[in-house]
Amino acid sequence: MSDSTPSDSKPAGSQTHPVFTRAQRKACHAKRDAFFECLDANNIADPDKAGETCKDLRRIMYEKCPFVWANYFDKLRANQKLKEQMYVDRPE
């Protein structure tokens, strides 16, 4: 017989993530929006190519948001801007 109970059996690599409150989610989204506004103001589509521009706002977004959220926001932004550009460049 095993000493482990069903509650002890978790898949390898599983982690528990803290649940963000509504106020924390709101703060995260506000920081994301401020970062994206900076990117828009500087005509930057891909956050990874921003360099020093908006660097502080990006850092703050990563501090206020869970890492996986902030990473998702970066990728989502790049993909959305790519799609927008595809529609602009599309021949009539």
Side-chain angles (χ1 to χ4, degrees):
M1 242 182 171
S2 173
D3 290 330
S4 67
T5 61
S7 64
D8 290 340
S9 59
K10 290 184 182 178
S14 69
Q15 300 175 12
T16 57
H17 298 285
V19 176
F20 271 58
T21 65
R22 180 177 293 167
Q24 289 171 315
R25 290 190 307 270
K26 190 174 182 177
C28 168
H29 293 148
K31 299 307 178 188
R32 174 205 59 197
D33 294 345
F35 174 54
F36 286 1
E37 286 172 11
C38 179
L39 293 175
D40 287 340
N42 289 284
N43 211 17
I44 300 169
D46 188 347
D48 288 333
K49 296 179 180 172
E52 291 295 311
T53 309
C54 310
K55 180 176 91 172
D56 291 336
L57 291 172
R58 187 179 196 193
R59 179 185 50 76
I60 292 169
M61 179 184 73
Y62 271 86
E63 288 173 359
K64 290 292 181 184
C65 300
F67 176 80
V68 293
W69 289 18
N71 197 33
Y72 172 77
F73 294 151
D74 276 350
K75 289 178 182 177
L76 181 66
R77 159 81 184 198
N79 287 333
Q80 285 176 332
K81 292 299 179 179
L82 179 63
K83 285 179 186 177
E84 288 173 13
Q85 191 60 42
M86 288 172 56
Y87 283 111
V88 169
D89 293 342
R90 184 176 74 185
E92 297 291 323

Coordinates of all heavy atoms in Angstrom, one line a residue:
M1 N 0.8 -1.2 0.0 CA 0.0 0.0 0.0 C 0.9 1.3 0.0 O 1.9 1.3 0.6 CB -0.9 0.0 1.2 CG -2.3 0.0 0.9 SD -3.3 0.0 2.4 CE -4.8 0.2 1.6
S2 N 0.4 2.3 -0.6 CA 1.1 3.5 -0.7 C 0.7 4.5 0.4 O -0.4 4.5 0.9 CB 0.8 4.2 -2.1 OG 1.4 5.4 -2.1
D3 N 1.7 5.3 0.9 CA 1.4 6.3 1.9 C 0.8 7.5 1.4 O 0.3 8.4 2.1 CB 2.7 6.7 2.6 CG 3.2 5.5 3.5 OD1 2.4 4.7 3.9 OD2 4.5 5.4 3.7
S4 N 0.7 7.7 0.1 CA 0.2 9.0 -0.5 C -1.3 8.9 -0.6 O -1.9 7.9 -0.8 CB 0.8 9.3 -1.9 OG 0.4 8.3 -2.8
T5 N -1.9 10.1 -0.4 CA -3.3 10.2 -0.5 C -3.6 10.8 -1.9 O -2.8 11.4 -2.5 CB -3.9 11.1 0.6 OG1 -3.3 12.4 0.5 CG2 -3.6 10.5 2.0
P6 N -4.9 10.7 -2.3 CA -5.2 11.3 -3.6 C -4.9 12.8 -3.7 O -4.5 13.3 -4.8 CB -6.7 11.1 -3.8 CG -7.0 9.9 -2.9 CD -6.0 10.0 -1.8
S7 N -5.0 13.5 -2.6 CA -4.7 15.0 -2.6 C -3.2 15.2 -2.8 O -2.8 16.3 -3.2 CB -5.2 15.6 -1.4 OG -4.5 15.1 -0.3
D8 N -2.4 14.2 -2.5 CA -0.9 14.4 -2.7 C -0.5 14.2 -4.2 O 0.6 14.5 -4.5 CB -0.2 13.4 -1.8 CG -0.3 13.7 -0.4 OD1 -0.6 14.8 0.0 OD2 0.0 12.8 0.4
S9 N -1.3 13.5 -5.0 CA -0.9 13.2 -6.3 C -1.3 14.4 -7.3 O -2.4 14.6 -7.6 CB -1.6 11.9 -6.8 OG -3.0 12.1 -6.7
K10 N -0.2 15.1 -7.7 CA -0.4 16.2 -8.6 C 0.5 15.8 -9.8 O 1.5 15.2 -9.7 CB 0.1 17.5 -8.0 CG -0.7 18.1 -6.9 CD -0.2 19.4 -6.5 CE -1.0 19.9 -5.3 NZ -0.5 21.2 -4.8
P11 N 0.1 16.3 -11.0 CA 0.9 16.0 -12.2 C 2.3 16.7 -12.0 O 2.4 17.7 -11.4 CB 0.1 16.7 -13.3 CG -1.2 16.9 -12.8 CD -1.2 17.0 -11.3
A12 N 3.3 16.0 -12.6 CA 4.6 16.6 -12.5 C 4.6 18.0 -13.1 O 4.1 18.2 -14.2 CB 5.6 15.6 -13.2
G13 N 5.3 18.9 -12.5 CA 5.4 20.2 -13.0 C 4.2 21.1 -12.7 O 4.2 22.3 -13.1
S14 N 3.2 20.6 -12.0 CA 2.0 21.5 -11.8 C 2.4 22.5 -10.6 O 3.1 22.2 -9.7 CB 0.8 20.6 -11.4 OG 1.0 20.1 -10.1
Q15 N 1.8 23.6 -10.8 CA 2.0 24.7 -9.8 C 0.7 25.3 -9.4 O -0.2 25.3 -10.2 CB 2.9 25.8 -10.4 CG 4.3 25.3 -10.8 CD 5.0 26.4 -11.5 OE1 4.7 27.6 -11.4 NE2 6.1 26.1 -12.1
T16 N 0.7 25.8 -8.2 CA -0.5 26.5 -7.8 C -0.2 28.0 -8.0 O 0.8 28.5 -7.7 CB -0.9 26.3 -6.3 OG1 0.2 26.6 -5.5 CG2 -1.3 24.8 -6.1
H17 N -1.2 28.7 -8.6 CA -1.0 30.1 -8.9 C -2.0 30.9 -8.0 O -3.2 30.5 -7.8 CB -1.3 30.4 -10.4 CG -0.4 29.7 -11.3 ND1 0.9 30.1 -11.5 CD2 -0.6 28.7 -12.1 CE1 1.5 29.4 -12.4 NE2 0.6 28.4 -12.7
P18 N -1.6 32.0 -7.5 CA -2.5 32.8 -6.7 C -3.6 33.3 -7.5 O -3.5 33.6 -8.7 CB -1.6 33.9 -6.1 CG -0.5 34.0 -7.1 CD -0.3 32.7 -7.7
V19 N -4.8 33.4 -6.9 CA -6.0 33.9 -7.6 C -5.9 35.4 -7.4 O -5.8 35.9 -6.3 CB -7.3 33.3 -7.0 CG1 -8.5 34.0 -7.6 CG2 -7.3 31.8 -7.1
F20 N -6.0 36.2 -8.5 CA -6.0 37.6 -8.4 C -7.3 38.2 -8.1 O -8.3 37.7 -8.6 CB -5.5 38.2 -9.7 CG -4.0 38.3 -9.8 CD1 -3.1 37.2 -9.6 CD2 -3.4 39.6 -10.0 CE1 -1.8 37.4 -9.7 CE2 -2.0 39.7 -10.1 CZ -1.2 38.6 -9.9
T21 N -7.4 39.2 -7.3 CA -8.6 39.8 -6.9 C -9.0 40.7 -8.1 O -8.3 41.0 -9.0 CB -8.5 40.7 -5.7 OG1 -7.6 41.7 -5.9 CG2 -8.0 39.9 -4.5
R22 N -10.3 41.2 -8.0 CA -10.8 42.1 -9.1 C -9.9 43.3 -9.1 O -9.5 43.8 -10.2 CB -12.2 42.4 -8.8 CG -12.8 43.4 -9.8 CD -14.2 43.7 -9.6 NE -15.0 42.5 -9.8 CZ -16.2 42.3 -9.5 NH1 -16.9 43.2 -8.9 NH2 -16.8 41.1 -9.7
A23 N -9.5 43.9 -8.0 CA -8.7 45.1 -7.9 C -7.3 44.8 -8.6 O -6.8 45.6 -9.3 CB -8.5 45.5 -6.5
Q24 N -6.7 43.6 -8.3 CA -5.4 43.3 -8.9 C -5.5 43.1 -10.4 O -4.6 43.5 -11.1 CB -4.9 42.0 -8.2 CG -4.4 42.2 -6.8 CD -4.1 40.9 -6.2 OE1 -4.9 39.9 -6.3 NE2 -3.0 40.8 -5.5
R25 N -6.6 42.5 -10.9 CA -6.8 42.3 -12.3 C -7.0 43.7 -13.0 O -6.4 44.0 -14.0 CB -8.0 41.5 -12.6 CG -7.8 40.0 -12.3 CD -8.9 39.1 -12.8 NE -10.2 39.5 -12.4 CZ -10.9 39.1 -11.4 NH1 -10.3 38.3 -10.5 NH2 -12.1 39.5 -11.1
K26 N -7.7 44.6 -12.3 CA -7.9 45.9 -12.8 C -6.6 46.7 -12.9 O -6.3 47.4 -13.9 CB -8.9 46.7 -11.9 CG -9.4 48.0 -12.5 CD -10.5 48.6 -11.6 CE -11.0 49.9 -12.2 NZ -12.1 50.5 -11.5
A27 N -5.8 46.6 -11.9 CA -4.5 47.2 -11.9 C -3.6 46.7 -13.0 O -2.9 47.4 -13.7 CB -3.8 47.1 -10.6
C28 N -3.6 45.4 -13.2 CA -2.9 44.7 -14.3 C -3.3 45.2 -15.6 O -2.4 45.6 -16.4 CB -3.0 43.2 -14.2 SG -2.4 42.3 -15.6
H29 N -4.6 45.2 -15.9 CA -5.1 45.7 -17.2 C -4.8 47.2 -17.4 O -4.5 47.6 -18.5 CB -6.6 45.4 -17.3 CG -6.9 43.9 -17.3 ND1 -8.0 43.4 -16.8 CD2 -6.2 42.9 -17.9 CE1 -8.0 42.1 -17.0 NE2 -6.9 41.8 -17.6
A30 N -4.8 48.0 -16.3 CA -4.5 49.4 -16.5 C -3.0 49.6 -16.9 O -2.7 50.4 -17.8 CB -4.7 50.1 -15.2
K31 N -2.1 48.8 -16.3 CA -0.7 48.8 -16.7 C -0.5 48.3 -18.1 O 0.4 48.9 -18.8 CB 0.2 48.1 -15.7 CG 0.1 48.6 -14.3 CD 0.4 50.1 -14.2 CE 0.2 50.7 -12.8 NZ 0.3 52.1 -12.8
R32 N -1.2 47.3 -18.5 CA -1.1 46.8 -19.9 C -1.6 47.9 -20.8 O -0.9 48.2 -21.8 CB -2.0 45.6 -20.0 CG -2.1 45.1 -21.5 CD -3.3 44.3 -21.8 NE -4.5 45.1 -21.5 CZ -5.8 44.6 -21.4 NH1 -6.0 43.3 -21.5 NH2 -6.8 45.4 -21.2
D33 N -2.7 48.5 -20.5 CA -3.2 49.6 -21.4 C -2.2 50.7 -21.5 O -2.1 51.3 -22.6 CB -4.6 50.0 -20.9 CG -5.6 49.0 -21.0 OD1 -5.4 47.9 -21.7 OD2 -6.7 49.1 -20.4
A34 N -1.6 51.1 -20.4 CA -0.6 52.2 -20.4 C 0.6 51.9 -21.3 O 1.0 52.7 -22.1 CB -0.2 52.6 -19.0
F35 N 1.0 50.6 -21.2 CA 2.1 50.2 -22.0 C 1.8 50.2 -23.5 O 2.5 50.7 -24.3 CB 2.6 48.8 -21.6 CG 3.6 48.1 -22.4 CD1 4.8 48.8 -22.7 CD2 3.4 46.8 -22.9 CE1 5.8 48.2 -23.5 CE2 4.4 46.2 -23.7 CZ 5.6 46.9 -24.0
F36 N 0.6 49.7 -23.8 CA 0.1 49.6 -25.2 C -0.1 51.0 -25.8 O 0.2 51.3 -26.9 CB -1.1 48.8 -25.4 CG -0.9 47.3 -25.2 CD1 0.3 46.8 -25.0 CD2 -2.0 46.4 -25.4 CE1 0.5 45.4 -24.9 CE2 -1.8 45.1 -25.3 CZ -0.6 44.5 -25.1
E37 N -0.6 52.0 -25.0 CA -0.7 53.4 -25.4 C 0.6 53.9 -25.7 O 0.8 54.7 -26.7 CB -1.4 54.2 -24.3 CG -2.9 53.9 -24.2 CD -3.6 54.6 -23.0 OE1 -2.9 55.5 -22.4 OE2 -4.7 54.2 -22.7
C38 N 1.7 53.6 -25.0 CA 3.0 54.1 -25.2 C 3.5 53.5 -26.6 O 4.1 54.2 -27.4 CB 3.9 53.7 -24.1 SG 5.7 54.2 -24.4
L39 N 3.3 52.2 -26.8 CA 3.7 51.6 -28.0 C 2.9 52.3 -29.2 O 3.6 52.6 -30.2 CB 3.4 50.1 -28.0 CG 4.2 49.3 -27.0 CD1 3.7 47.8 -27.0 CD2 5.6 49.3 -27.3
D40 N 1.6 52.5 -29.1 CA 0.9 53.2 -30.1 C 1.4 54.6 -30.4 O 1.6 55.0 -31.6 CB -0.6 53.3 -29.8 CG -1.3 51.9 -29.8 OD1 -0.8 51.0 -30.5 OD2 -2.4 51.8 -29.2
A41 N 1.7 55.3 -29.3 CA 2.2 56.7 -29.5 C 3.5 56.7 -30.2 O 3.9 57.7 -30.9 CB 2.3 57.4 -28.1
N42 N 4.3 55.7 -30.1 CA 5.6 55.6 -30.7 C 5.6 54.7 -32.0 O 6.7 54.4 -32.5 CB 6.7 55.1 -29.7 CG 6.9 56.1 -28.7 OD1 7.7 57.0 -28.9 ND2 6.4 55.9 -27.5
N43 N 4.4 54.3 -32.4 CA 4.2 53.6 -33.7 C 5.0 52.3 -33.6 O 5.7 51.9 -34.6 CB 4.6 54.4 -34.9 CG 3.8 54.1 -36.1 OD1 2.8 53.4 -36.0 ND2 4.3 54.5 -37.2
I44 N 4.9 51.5 -32.5 CA 5.6 50.3 -32.4 C 4.6 49.1 -32.3 O 3.7 49.1 -31.4 CB 6.5 50.3 -31.1 CG1 7.5 51.4 -31.1 CG2 7.2 48.9 -30.9 CD1 8.3 51.6 -29.8
A45 N 4.7 48.2 -33.2 CA 3.7 47.1 -33.3 C 4.1 46.0 -32.3 O 3.3 45.4 -31.6 CB 3.6 46.6 -34.7
D46 N 5.4 45.6 -32.4 CA 5.9 44.4 -31.6 C 6.5 44.9 -30.3 O 7.6 45.5 -30.4 CB 6.8 43.6 -32.5 CG 7.2 42.3 -31.9 OD1 7.0 42.1 -30.7 OD2 7.8 41.5 -32.6
P47 N 6.0 44.5 -29.2 CA 6.6 44.9 -27.9 C 8.1 44.5 -27.8 O 8.9 45.1 -27.1 CB 5.7 44.2 -26.8 CG 4.4 44.0 -27.5 CD 4.8 43.8 -29.0
D48 N 8.4 43.3 -28.4 CA 9.8 42.8 -28.3 C 10.8 43.7 -29.0 O 12.0 43.6 -28.8 CB 9.9 41.4 -28.8 CG 9.2 40.4 -27.8 OD1 9.2 40.7 -26.6 OD2 8.8 39.4 -28.3
K49 N 10.3 44.5 -29.9 CA 11.2 45.4 -30.7 C 11.1 46.9 -30.2 O 11.6 47.8 -30.9 CB 10.7 45.4 -32.2 CG 10.9 44.0 -32.7 CD 10.5 43.9 -34.2 CE 10.8 42.4 -34.7 NZ 10.2 42.2 -36.0
A50 N 10.6 47.1 -29.0 CA 10.5 48.4 -28.5 C 11.8 49.0 -28.0 O 12.0 50.2 -27.9 CB 9.4 48.5 -27.4
G51 N 12.7 48.1 -27.6 CA 14.0 48.6 -27.1 C 13.8 49.4 -25.8 O 13.1 48.9 -24.9
E52 N 14.5 50.5 -25.8 CA 14.4 51.4 -24.6 C 13.0 52.1 -24.5 O 12.7 52.6 -23.4 CB 15.5 52.4 -24.6 CG 16.9 51.7 -24.4 CD 17.0 51.1 -23.0 OE1 16.7 51.8 -22.0 OE2 17.4 49.9 -22.9
T53 N 12.4 52.2 -25.6 CA 11.1 53.0 -25.7 C 10.1 52.2 -24.9 O 9.9 51.0 -25.0 CB 10.6 53.1 -27.1 OG1 11.7 53.6 -27.9 CG2 9.4 54.0 -27.2
C54 N 9.4 52.8 -23.9 CA 8.3 52.3 -23.1 C 8.9 51.2 -22.2 O 8.1 50.4 -21.6 CB 7.2 51.7 -24.0 SG 6.6 52.9 -25.2
K55 N 10.2 51.0 -22.0 CA 10.8 50.0 -21.2 C 10.2 50.0 -19.8 O 9.9 48.9 -19.2 CB 12.3 50.1 -21.2 CG 13.0 49.1 -20.4 CD 14.5 49.2 -20.5 CE 15.0 50.2 -19.4 NZ 16.4 50.2 -19.3
D56 N 10.1 51.2 -19.2 CA 9.6 51.2 -17.8 C 8.2 50.8 -17.7 O 7.8 50.1 -16.7 CB 9.8 52.7 -17.2 CG 11.2 53.0 -17.0 OD1 12.1 52.1 -16.9 OD2 11.5 54.2 -17.0
L57 N 7.3 51.2 -18.6 CA 5.9 50.7 -18.6 C 5.8 49.2 -18.8 O 4.9 48.6 -18.2 CB 5.1 51.5 -19.7 CG 4.9 53.0 -19.4 CD1 4.3 53.6 -20.6 CD2 4.1 53.2 -18.2
R58 N 6.6 48.7 -19.6 CA 6.6 47.2 -19.8 C 7.0 46.5 -18.5 O 6.4 45.5 -18.1 CB 7.5 46.8 -20.9 CG 7.4 45.3 -21.3 CD 8.3 44.9 -22.4 NE 8.0 43.7 -23.0 CZ 8.7 43.0 -23.8 NH1 9.9 43.5 -24.2 NH2 8.3 41.8 -24.3
R59 N 8.1 47.0 -17.8 CA 8.5 46.4 -16.6 C 7.4 46.5 -15.5 O 7.2 45.5 -14.8 CB 9.8 47.2 -16.1 CG 10.3 46.7 -14.8 CD 11.5 47.5 -14.2 NE 11.2 48.9 -14.2 CZ 10.4 49.5 -13.3 NH1 9.9 48.8 -12.3 NH2 10.2 50.8 -13.3
I60 N 6.7 47.6 -15.5 CA 5.6 47.8 -14.5 C 4.5 46.8 -14.8 O 3.9 46.2 -13.9 CB 5.1 49.2 -14.5 CG1 6.2 50.1 -13.9 CG2 3.9 49.3 -13.7 CD1 6.0 51.6 -14.0
M61 N 4.2 46.6 -16.1 CA 3.2 45.6 -16.5 C 3.6 44.2 -16.0 O 2.8 43.5 -15.4 CB 3.0 45.6 -18.0 CG 1.9 44.6 -18.4 SD 1.7 44.4 -20.2 CE 3.2 43.6 -20.7
Y62 N 4.8 43.9 -16.2 CA 5.3 42.5 -15.7 C 5.3 42.4 -14.2 O 5.2 41.3 -13.7 CB 6.7 42.2 -16.3 CG 6.6 41.5 -17.7 CD1 6.5 42.3 -18.8 CD2 6.6 40.1 -17.8 CE1 6.4 41.6 -20.1 CE2 6.5 39.5 -19.0 CZ 6.4 40.3 -20.1 OH 6.3 39.6 -21.4
E63 N 5.4 43.5 -13.5 CA 5.4 43.5 -12.0 C 4.0 43.4 -11.5 O 3.7 42.7 -10.5 CB 6.0 44.8 -11.5 CG 7.5 44.8 -11.6 CD 8.1 46.2 -11.2 OE1 7.4 47.1 -10.8 OE2 9.3 46.3 -11.2
K64 N 3.0 44.0 -12.2 CA 1.6 44.0 -11.7 C 0.8 42.8 -12.2 O -0.2 42.5 -11.6 CB 0.9 45.3 -12.2 CG 1.4 46.6 -11.5 CD 1.1 46.6 -10.0 CE 1.5 47.8 -9.3 NZ 1.3 47.8 -7.9
C65 N 1.3 42.2 -13.3 CA 0.5 41.1 -13.8 C 1.3 39.8 -13.6 O 2.5 39.8 -13.5 CB 0.3 41.3 -15.3 SG -0.5 42.8 -15.8
P66 N 0.5 38.7 -13.5 CA 1.2 37.4 -13.5 C 2.1 37.3 -14.8 O 1.7 37.8 -15.9 CB 0.1 36.4 -13.5 CG -1.1 37.1 -13.0 CD -0.9 38.5 -13.4
F67 N 3.2 36.6 -14.7 CA 4.2 36.6 -15.8 C 3.5 36.0 -17.1 O 3.6 36.5 -18.2 CB 5.4 35.7 -15.5 CG 6.3 35.5 -16.6 CD1 7.2 36.5 -17.0 CD2 6.3 34.4 -17.4 CE1 8.1 36.3 -18.1 CE2 7.1 34.2 -18.5 CZ 8.0 35.2 -18.8
V68 N 2.7 34.9 -16.9 CA 2.1 34.3 -18.1 C 1.1 35.3 -18.7 O 0.9 35.3 -19.9 CB 1.4 33.0 -17.7 CG1 2.5 31.9 -17.4 CG2 0.4 33.1 -16.6
W69 N 0.4 36.1 -17.9 CA -0.5 37.1 -18.5 C 0.2 38.1 -19.3 O -0.1 38.4 -20.4 CB -1.3 37.8 -17.4 CG -2.3 37.0 -16.7 CD1 -2.4 35.6 -16.6 CD2 -3.4 37.5 -15.9 NE1 -3.5 35.3 -15.8 CE2 -4.1 36.4 -15.3 CE3 -3.8 38.8 -15.5 CZ2 -5.2 36.6 -14.5 CZ3 -4.8 39.0 -14.7 CH2 -5.5 37.9 -14.2
A70 N 1.3 38.7 -18.7 CA 2.1 39.7 -19.4 C 2.7 39.2 -20.6 O 2.7 39.9 -21.7 CB 3.1 40.3 -18.4
N71 N 3.2 38.0 -20.6 CA 3.8 37.4 -21.8 C 2.7 37.2 -22.9 O 2.9 37.4 -24.0 CB 4.4 36.0 -21.4 CG 5.3 35.5 -22.4 OD1 6.0 36.3 -23.1 ND2 5.4 34.2 -22.5
Y72 N 1.5 36.8 -22.4 CA 0.4 36.6 -23.4 C 0.0 38.0 -24.0 O -0.3 38.0 -25.2 CB -0.8 36.0 -22.6 CG -2.1 36.0 -23.5 CD1 -2.3 35.0 -24.5 CD2 -3.1 36.9 -23.2 CE1 -3.4 35.0 -25.2 CE2 -4.3 36.9 -24.0 CZ -4.4 35.9 -25.0 OH -5.6 35.9 -25.8
F73 N -0.1 39.0 -23.2 CA -0.4 40.3 -23.7 C 0.6 40.8 -24.7 O 0.2 41.3 -25.8 CB -0.4 41.4 -22.6 CG -1.5 41.2 -21.5 CD1 -1.3 41.6 -20.2 CD2 -2.7 40.6 -21.8 CE1 -2.3 41.4 -19.3 CE2 -3.7 40.4 -20.9 CZ -3.5 40.8 -19.6
D74 N 1.9 40.5 -24.5 CA 2.9 40.9 -25.5 C 2.6 40.2 -26.8 O 2.7 40.8 -27.9 CB 4.3 40.5 -25.0 CG 4.9 41.6 -24.1 OD1 4.4 42.7 -24.0 OD2 6.0 41.3 -23.5
K75 N 2.4 38.9 -26.8 CA 2.2 38.1 -28.0 C 0.9 38.5 -28.7 O 0.8 38.6 -29.9 CB 2.2 36.6 -27.7 CG 3.6 36.1 -27.3 CD 3.6 34.7 -26.9 CE 5.0 34.3 -26.5 NZ 5.1 32.9 -26.1
L76 N -0.1 38.7 -27.9 CA -1.4 39.1 -28.4 C -1.3 40.4 -29.2 O -1.8 40.6 -30.3 CB -2.5 39.2 -27.3 CG -3.9 39.6 -27.7 CD1 -4.5 38.5 -28.6 CD2 -4.7 39.9 -26.5
R77 N -0.6 41.4 -28.6 CA -0.4 42.7 -29.2 C 0.3 42.5 -30.6 O -0.1 43.1 -31.6 CB 0.4 43.6 -28.3 CG 1.2 44.7 -28.9 CD 0.3 45.9 -29.1 NE 1.0 47.0 -29.8 CZ 0.7 48.2 -29.8 NH1 -0.5 48.5 -29.2 NH2 1.3 49.1 -30.5
A78 N 1.4 41.8 -30.6 CA 2.1 41.6 -31.8 C 1.3 40.9 -32.9 O 1.3 41.4 -34.1 CB 3.4 40.8 -31.6
N79 N 0.5 39.9 -32.5 CA -0.4 39.2 -33.5 C -1.5 40.1 -34.0 O -1.8 40.1 -35.2 CB -0.9 38.0 -32.9 CG 0.1 36.9 -32.8 OD1 1.1 36.8 -33.5 ND2 -0.1 36.0 -31.8
Q80 N -2.1 40.9 -33.1 CA -3.1 41.8 -33.5 C -2.6 42.9 -34.5 O -3.3 43.2 -35.5 CB -3.8 42.5 -32.3 CG -4.7 41.6 -31.5 CD -5.2 42.2 -30.3 OE1 -4.6 43.2 -29.7 NE2 -6.4 41.8 -29.9
K81 N -1.5 43.4 -34.2 CA -0.9 44.5 -35.1 C -0.5 43.8 -36.5 O -0.7 44.5 -37.5 CB 0.3 45.1 -34.5 CG -0.1 46.0 -33.3 CD -1.0 47.1 -33.7 CE -1.5 48.0 -32.6 NZ -2.4 49.1 -33.0
L82 N 0.0 42.6 -36.5 CA 0.3 41.9 -37.7 C -0.9 41.7 -38.6 O -0.9 42.0 -39.8 CB 1.0 40.6 -37.4 CG 1.4 39.8 -38.6 CD1 2.4 40.5 -39.5 CD2 1.9 38.4 -38.2
K83 N -2.0 41.3 -37.9 CA -3.3 41.1 -38.6 C -3.8 42.4 -39.2 O -4.3 42.5 -40.3 CB -4.3 40.5 -37.7 CG -4.1 39.0 -37.5 CD -5.2 38.5 -36.5 CE -4.9 37.1 -36.1 NZ -5.9 36.6 -35.2
E84 N -3.7 43.5 -38.4 CA -4.2 44.8 -38.9 C -3.4 45.2 -40.1 O -3.9 45.7 -41.1 CB -4.0 45.9 -37.8 CG -5.0 45.7 -36.7 CD -4.7 46.7 -35.5 OE1 -3.9 47.6 -35.7 OE2 -5.3 46.5 -34.4
Q85 N -2.1 45.0 -40.1 CA -1.2 45.4 -41.2 C -1.5 44.5 -42.4 O -1.5 45.0 -43.5 CB 0.3 45.2 -40.8 CG 1.2 45.9 -41.8 CD 1.0 47.4 -42.0 OE1 0.8 48.1 -41.0 NE2 1.0 47.8 -43.2
M86 N -1.9 43.3 -42.2 CA -2.2 42.4 -43.4 C -3.5 43.0 -44.1 O -3.5 42.9 -45.3 CB -2.4 41.0 -42.9 CG -1.2 40.3 -42.5 SD -1.4 38.6 -41.7 CE -2.4 37.8 -42.9
Y87 N -4.4 43.5 -43.3 CA -5.6 44.0 -43.9 C -5.3 45.3 -44.7 O -5.9 45.6 -45.7 CB -6.7 44.3 -42.9 CG -7.4 43.0 -42.5 CD1 -7.3 42.4 -41.2 CD2 -8.2 42.3 -43.4 CE1 -7.9 41.3 -40.9 CE2 -8.8 41.1 -43.0 CZ -8.7 40.6 -41.8 OH -9.3 39.4 -41.4
V88 N -4.4 46.1 -44.1 CA -4.0 47.4 -44.8 C -3.3 47.1 -46.1 O -3.5 47.8 -47.1 CB -3.1 48.2 -43.8 CG1 -2.5 49.4 -44.5 CG2 -4.0 48.7 -42.6
D89 N -2.4 46.1 -46.1 CA -1.6 45.8 -47.2 C -2.3 44.9 -48.2 O -1.8 44.7 -49.3 CB -0.3 45.1 -46.8 CG 0.6 46.0 -46.0 OD1 0.4 47.2 -46.1 OD2 1.5 45.5 -45.3
R90 N -3.5 44.5 -47.9 CA -4.2 43.6 -48.8 C -4.6 44.3 -50.1 O -5.2 45.4 -50.1 CB -5.5 43.1 -48.1 CG -6.3 42.0 -48.8 CD -7.4 41.5 -48.0 NE -8.4 42.6 -48.0 CZ -9.5 42.5 -47.2 NH1 -9.7 41.5 -46.5 NH2 -10.4 43.5 -47.3
P91 N -4.3 43.6 -51.3 CA -4.7 44.2 -52.5 C -6.3 44.2 -52.7 O -6.9 43.3 -52.2 CB -4.1 43.4 -53.6 CG -3.7 42.1 -52.9 CD -3.6 42.4 -51.5
E92 N -6.8 45.2 -53.3 CA -8.2 45.4 -53.5 C -8.7 44.5 -54.6 O -8.2 44.3 -55.6 CB -8.6 46.8 -53.8 CG -8.3 47.7 -52.6 CD -9.2 47.5 -51.4 OE1 -10.4 47.2 -51.5 OE2 -8.6 47.6 -50.3

